[in-house]
Amino acid sequence: MKRWTTKREHQIYSSKLFQALCRSRRTSSSTSAKELHQTADRVLAITAKGTTRWSRAILAAPLTAGTNMKKHKKAKVTVHTRLRKPVVNREKRKLPVVERKLRALRRLVPGCRKLSCNNLLEETSDYIAALEMQVRALTAITEFLSRGLL
Amino acid sequence: MSGRRSRSKQSSVSSITDDQITDLVSKLQHLIPELRRRRFDKVSTSKVLQETCNYIRSLHREVEDLSDRLSQLLASTDSDSDQAAIIRSLLMQ
C-alpha cells in the first residue's frame, strides 16, 4: 500500500496516464470524460501489477463506450401494489445496519462483492490509497496542460 | 461498542464474526481523513463503514470531475507539440 504514496509511483502513473491519453486521442477525435475516467482506472489497475482484486476486476471489465452502462441490470418486477401485502418492517427481514453498510462498501470496491472481512480491509485500504494518487495525478496533468497554454 | 450477539452455531464461511468486523472497522478508521482526527473517540461501527463508503464515493466523484475537466482541456489543446515537455514535467514533479 505504501507504493501509492511514493513520489516515484506518482510520477510514473501520471506520465503513463498522460501518454495513454495522448495515444487514445490519436485514434479517436475526442476523448469523453467517461473514457478518460476509464483510462485513468485501467492505468491505475495496471500499476497495481495484478496484486489486488480490485485492480484485476477493473482490467477484466469490458470497455464501455461512452454511455453509462451498468454491469448488472436488475430486472424490476412490478407488482400490483394493491394486491401486495404491506411489507412489515421487521428486524429479522431487514439486514442489520452494519451488514448493510458492509455490503455497500463491498459494492464500491471493484471485484469485492463476495470478499471476506479481512481481505476486504486490505482491498479497501489499497483501493483508497490508489484513488488518492489518481486524484493527485489527474490534478497534476491538468495543471501542466493548462500551464502549457499560457 | 455493539453488544455481542451469541449464536449457537459459530461462523460458517459466509457469515462474519463480530470480531472480524470490529477489527476491520478499527483499521479503516485510520484511513479515512474524517475519522483520523477522532482516533481516540469511540466511533461506532456503522459510522466508520458509512464514512468509508462516503469517502470512496467522494473520491470517485472527484476523479469524475477531474476527468471531465481534463477531457475538455485535451479537446481544446493541440498538445502534440508539448507532449515531451509535459511528460518531462510530470516525471520531475
Side-chain angles (χ1 to χ4, degrees), chain A residues 27-137:
Chain A
T27 50
S28 67
S29 55
S30 67
T31 318
S32 72
K34 198 85 188 163
E35 287 166 349
L36 201 149
H37 191 164
Q38 205 172 77
T39 307
D41 280 345
R42 289 181 79 88
V43 179
L44 192 67
I46 291 169
T47 311
K49 297 197 179 98
T51 54
T52 54
R53 199 170 261 256
W54 65 262
S55 57
R56 293 193 292 267
I58 287 178
L59 293 174
L63 291 167
T64 58
T67 51
N68 200 1
M69 266 174 56
K70 285 192 179 172
K71 269 194 234 177
H72 304 285
K73 282 194 176 164
K74 284 186 184 166
K76 277 200 171 169
V77 180
T78 48
V79 179
H80 296 288
T81 45
R82 268 183 232 160
L83 298 172
R84 209 180 172 187
K85 280 187 183 170
V87 178
V88 182
N89 192 358
R90 285 192 200 132
E91 276 304 310
K92 290 180 187 172
R93 289 272 177 90
K94 239 179 169 178
L95 279 178
V97 172
V98 168
E99 305 215 359
R100 259 191 289 143
K101 301 212 185 283
L102 213 49
R103 192 169 66 167
L105 181 59
R106 283 207 183 89
R107 283 205 200 117
L108 283 171
V109 185
C112 293
R113 286 189 189 223
K114 295 192 179 171
L115 215 54
S116 72
C117 237
N118 290 326
N119 294 337
L120 183 61
L121 169 71
E122 275 184 58
E123 292 285 329
T124 306
S125 38
D126 197 73
Y127 188 52
I128 288 179
L131 284 177
E132 287 170 340
M133 188 188 79
Q134 193 180 49
V135 168
R136 289 194 298 270

Side-chain angles (χ1 to χ4, degrees), chain B residues 5-57:
Chain B
R5 273 171 270 136
S6 59
R7 291 186 188 159
S8 50
K9 287 181 187 173
Q10 243 325 315
S11 49
S12 56
V13 181
S14 53
S15 72
I16 305 162
T17 63
D18 286 351
D19 280 342
Q20 282 180 304
I21 294 180
T22 316
D23 194 45
L24 169 71
V25 161
S26 63
K27 288 180 182 155
L28 277 178
Q29 204 169 331
H30 297 304
L31 297 170
I32 318 298
E34 187 64 37
L35 301 174
R36 261 202 293 257
R37 296 171 226 151
R38 303 207 262 154
R39 196 186 303 201
F40 300 110
D41 293 346
K42 278 188 180 174
V43 186
S44 74
T45 302
S46 77
K47 176 92 176 146
V48 174
L49 290 173
Q50 183 66 56
E51 288 302 322
T52 308
C53 293
N54 289 347
Y55 187 51
I56 293 181
R57 280 191 209 113

Side-chain angles (χ1 to χ4, degrees), chain B residues 1 57 65 69 93:
Chain B
M1 287 300 234
R57 280 191 209 113
D65 277 346
R69 276 195 279 150
Q93 335 159 50

